[in-house]
Amino acid sequence: MDTPFAPTSPTSDRVGLLLTGGGARAAYQMGVLKAIARIGRESGAPRSSPYQVIAGTSAGAINAAALACQADRFDAAVSEVVDVWSQFRSEQVYRTDSLGVIRTGAPWLTMMSFGWALHRWRRARPHSLLDNSPLETLLLRMVRFDRLPKLMADGELHALAVTASSYSSGEHVTFYECHQDIQPWTRSQRLAVRTRLGVRHLLASAAIPFVFPATSLPVNDRVGWFGDGSMRQAAPISPAVHLGAERILIVGAGRMHEPPGGHQDILGYPSIAQIAGHALSNIFLDALAVDVERLQRINSTLALLPPEARARTPLRPIEALVIAPSQRLDDLAGQHLDSLPRTIRALLRGVGVTGQGVTARGAALASYLLFESGYTRALIALGEADAEAKRREVQAFFGWRPRLMAGEPAAALASTAEPARLTSSSPT
């Protein structure tokens, strides 16, 4: 079994932070981290960053890099990134003006319908549904990669990893930067490359397939074209473990488990938007759920081994705290479809995004592209609420001593004496 739980270097109880992909859904992650920072302050935790290893994929990689590059002022960094998400507009991520949409979205949809008639005209072949050139401008302002070497040399951060998927080779690549000597690793269809990280790595990692254009990146002695790191990501937890994390906070961007019933089935033949939303959910959500289950099984198996047998295996238990949305983000997105720019609404209607609220069709696809403040603020609020609901587990995971509230018996703290091996805010 291809497992990510074999370390490549000694560790010293390092805490890792893993942020997964999900386009606009990644605003949820910042709500979780905002609440955890507040819980830390209220618990009297040290003001330094609690995360020594930070790994991210897709939009989660953007959050991860922005926070890692300010590891020496982590609480302030969380607040700043939350502010960015709270004031988001789609035009900061992709072109929403009529000319920009006409140059990308309209030809893309036309090529899907009439590509057989236009294949001879190479200029008519668009690279993606949307032009995400504004995102590069935002990232250059938001992420200070030039600070990483000194932060790592000073011990403020151990490692940062960003993952992307190669269209050229079919491999899933983890690009990482660290100060200490951590050798690259290779597994089936995936490998690690040590490099100086930059904005292009984030653009590649966050290039949602079909929606945003691929980005070229050097890999060892060749250059390849890369797209969203969530594609073909068989082991999302692996990079954090290989880089030395022994305890990992995992923040997802979609429900880890769907409750039985309660969701309206699709009636009639599914639209392109509904099929695309289903495909994106598979890309962004399913691999993480499977990897968390694998982690739980390995932890349970190791717990059954006698000490001498455990000493002979390269595997080790990984303590994980998993926090994922307690509500369907598709339904939440459906309530905010009208906030999208008119040009984007028209483009999405062309592939079947219609309606409003829980009855909206194609809202899953829109949930990844809804970079509008009404939606992102709702995601941040949900992330805060989900993390706050796990306050005791959070305190136990980080080893923070809870403070008694007025009138609360001392026995109430007993539940946090030992940290949980694995927990999730989603229904089990």
Side-chain angles (χ1 to χ4, degrees), residues 259-270 274 328 331 358-361:
H263 182 59
Q264 185 178 19
D265 292 334
I266 295 175
L267 300 178
Y269 194 84
Q274 289 168 322
R328 285 181 55 86
D331 297 341
V358 296
T359 61
R361 292 169 64 90

Side-chain angles (χ1 to χ4, degrees), residues 70-399:
Q70 299 192 69
D72 55 337
R73 51 190 301 274
F74 198 82
D75 276 15
V78 169
S79 296
E80 290 174 6
V81 180
V82 167
D83 285 344
V84 171
W85 280 104
S86 298
Q87 302 172 43
F88 241 134
R89 302 184 310 279
S90 294
E91 63 193 47
Q92 295 175 276
V93 179
Y94 49 82
R95 289 189 64 176
T96 63
D97 59 290
S98 298
L99 181 59
V101 173
I102 289 173
R103 283 180 173 176
T104 55
W108 190 84
L109 293 178
T110 301
M111 286 296 296
M112 289 186 65
S113 303
F114 304 106
W116 58 271
L118 301 175
H119 72 281
R120 293 185 180 181
W121 289 273
R122 186 172 298 274
R123 289 183 180 179
R125 298 180 185 178
H127 292 156
S128 60
L129 180 64
L130 296 171
D131 175 358
N132 67 342
S133 55
L135 179 59
E136 183 172 7
T137 302
L138 174 65
L139 294 178
L140 288 170
R141 185 176 71 250
M142 180 179 170
V143 187
R144 292 285 308 278
F145 279 109
D146 59 299
R147 302 189 76 235
L148 273 184
K150 187 174 189 305
L151 288 173
M152 292 177 176
D154 292 345
E156 300 284 356
L157 180 72
H158 178 65
L160 170 65
V162 172
T163 58
S165 184
S166 173
Y167 292 120
S168 303
S169 68
E171 295 171 314
H172 186 262
V173 183
T174 295
F175 299 94
Y176 69 98
E177 185 169 348
C178 60
H179 181 67
Q180 298 181 9
D181 186 21
I182 300 178
Q183 293 301 309
W185 60 93
T186 301
R187 296 293 184 269
S188 176
Q189 296 299 311
R190 54 190 175 95
L191 70 151
V193 175
R194 185 173 182 176
T195 187
R196 285 292 302 272
L197 294 172
V199 165
R200 291 190 64 81
H201 294 93
L202 300 183
L203 290 172
S205 183
I208 299 174
F210 301 112
V211 177
F212 296 141
T215 301
S216 61
L217 292 172
V219 179
N220 299 325
D221 58 348
R222 65 187 190 277
V223 175
W225 289 95
F226 287 82
D228 200 293
S230 297
M231 295 185 291
R232 306 192 69 178
Q233 191 175 32
I237 305 174
S238 173
V241 176
H242 279 292
L243 292 173
E246 291 184 325
R247 293 183 289 130
I248 307 174
L249 170 66
I250 303 170
V251 187
R255 292 180 69 95
M256 297 289 290
H257 303 277
E258 287 294 334
H263 182 59
Q264 185 178 19
D265 292 334
I266 295 175
L267 300 178
Y269 194 84
S271 66
I272 293 176
Q274 289 168 322
I275 295 172
H278 184 74
L280 290 179
S281 294
N282 174 271
I283 291 171
F284 287 116
L285 309 180
D286 293 352
L288 177 62
V290 170
D291 211 23
V292 168
E293 290 179 359
R294 183 189 299 136
L295 181 150
Q296 189 173 28
R297 290 197 302 271
I298 291 176
N299 282 348
S300 298
T301 300
L302 290 174
L304 297 174
L305 296 178
E308 58 275 12
R310 192 182 304 180
R312 291 195 298 268
T313 177
L315 300 177
R316 54 188 170 85
I318 299 295
E319 183 183 331
L321 173 63
V322 183
I323 301 180
S326 57
Q327 299 178 20
R328 285 181 55 86
L329 301 191
D330 303 8
D331 297 341
L332 191 61
Q335 301 171 25
H336 297 273
L337 293 178
D338 283 349
S339 64
L340 281 166
R342 183 179 303 175
T343 53
I344 303 303
R345 292 203 307 271
L347 186 65
L348 292 178
R349 276 198 301 270
V351 294
V353 178
T354 59
Q356 189 76 9
V358 296
T359 61
R361 292 169 64 90
L365 173 61
S367 72
Y368 298 97
L369 304 178
L370 242 168
F371 293 93
E372 297 294 334
S373 60
Y375 177 57
T376 56
R377 288 176 183 175
L379 290 173
I380 291 169
L382 178 61
E384 287 190 75
D386 286 346
E388 187 61 44
K390 293 291 180 180
R391 172 177 282 262
R392 294 300 192 199
E393 290 91 332
V394 168
Q395 290 169 323
F397 177 81
F398 288 103

